[in-house]
Amino acid sequence: MLPTREQADALLIEAEKCNPGPWGKHSRTVAHCAEKIALSCTGLDPEKAYILGLLHDIGRKFGKRHLGHVSDGYSYMMSLGYEEAARICPDHRRSFLYFPG
């Protein structure tokens, strides 16, 4: 399950309040780039690409722990019932390429 675009935006805004920094802008940039890439590729879902790009670093909500944010993000998304979004966090460098069937 995935959050909607609006829900994902709200999650990022909340996370930035917990741990301000440039990672929020980075996440928005990744989301927009992922959406644009998906728009130009047959068979990819631009909405899903945007959402997954936006949430790939959501574990940063809990602070800076080098790569600890990947497991934090996974756990956080799973706790909210967003299993599909959770799966992108451990391998977030490929967020815009991950589109399960």
Side-chain angles (χ1 to χ4, degrees), residues 20-43:
W23 70 271
K25 182 177 179 181
H26 160 76
S27 294
R28 287 182 183 84
T29 300
V30 170
H32 289 290
C33 291
E35 182 178 43
K36 295 292 184 196
I37 291 167
L39 282 167
S40 68
C41 297
T42 303

Side-chain angles (χ1 to χ4, degrees), residues 59-97:
R60 293 217 182 259
K61 171 183 179 167
F62 304 101
K64 186 176 180 183
R65 297 190 315 117
H66 186 53
L67 289 178
H69 74 280
V70 299
S71 61
D72 290 342
Y74 177 85
S75 297
Y76 179 50
M77 290 290 97
M78 288 297 285
S79 76
L80 298 176
Y82 297 132
E83 182 179 332
E84 198 168 2
R87 290 193 306 246
I88 204 60
C89 295
D91 194 11
H92 66 285
R93 292 167 292 163
R94 294 188 289 167
S95 299
F96 61 92
L97 296 176

